[in-house]
Amino acid sequence: MKLTRLSLFMLGTLLACTQTKSTDPIDSQLPGIWALVRTTYGLTQLSVTPAQTGRSETLTFTADGTYRRVISGTSPQPDQSGRYYTGNNPGSTAEKQAIFYPDEQTAQPYSFRDGHLFLYERQPIGATIADGSTYEFKRQ
């Protein structure tokens, strides 16, 4: 009887100490290196290419939930990196999915069309930016 109680106690302790790692979902189409090919401004619907603006941008999304953003050109910015995951778009834009950046508490609605990634303006989670720009990326 004592052995059974001890065994149950040890089993309970072991189960209580075991942590299960939960992974956030990643859209399987997203991992890879993406280069900006066009920006369309929301209010005017004017579309410009990186060659026209003198500014280039690449995004790298990994399957393990990390990203890196590199902007160079006329107004270079520090590289950005962090964690991401994908899920249903909480905002009211037409895109059904969003990329969530938990370190910044932001979300970015997105869609895929003709092999290109279309990202809508990044915004606080749950908010919608009216007349935000759309950024079109092509896989490298």
Side-chain angles (χ1 to χ4, degrees):
M1 182 77 163
K2 285 184 180 182
L3 184 59
T4 305
R5 283 185 183 169
L6 180 61
S7 297
L8 288 174
F9 174 76
M10 290 177 68
L11 179 62
T13 303
L14 178 64
L15 291 175
C17 293
T18 303
Q19 294 181 358
T20 57
K21 182 180 178 184
S22 65
T23 56
D24 292 314
I26 302 293
D27 185 333
S28 63
Q29 300 176 85
L30 199 54
I33 300 171
W34 298 88
L36 182 68
V37 294
R38 181 177 330 282
T39 301
T40 302
Y41 299 106
L43 188 59
T44 63
Q45 291 300 294
L46 173 68
S47 289
V48 294
T49 65
Q52 291 171 308
T53 63
R55 177 183 172 270
S56 65
E57 179 176 343
T58 58
L59 287 169
T60 303
F61 292 101
T62 65
D64 71 357
T66 59
Y67 78 94
R68 182 170 180 226
R69 180 181 183 203
V70 177
I71 299 173
S72 58
T74 58
S75 56
Q77 298 177 7
D79 293 1
Q80 296 175 348
S81 61
R83 298 176 301 138
Y84 82 96
Y85 62 93
T86 58
N88 293 327
N89 180 11
S92 60
T93 60
E95 294 83 0
K96 293 180 188 208
Q97 296 293 106
I99 301 168
F100 295 87
Y101 304 94
D103 301 326
E104 294 88 17
Q105 295 293 310
T106 59
Q108 190 166 32
Y110 74 96
S111 62
F112 292 99
R113 293 190 302 275
D114 300 323
H116 287 207
L117 169 64
F118 291 83
L119 296 173
Y120 193 69
E121 200 74 48
R122 205 187 268 204
Q123 55 218 359
I125 293 175
T128 299
I129 296 177
D131 298 322
S133 297
T134 302
Y135 305 93
E136 180 182 349
F137 289 82
K138 182 177 181 181
R139 187 181 297 276
Q140 297 299 288

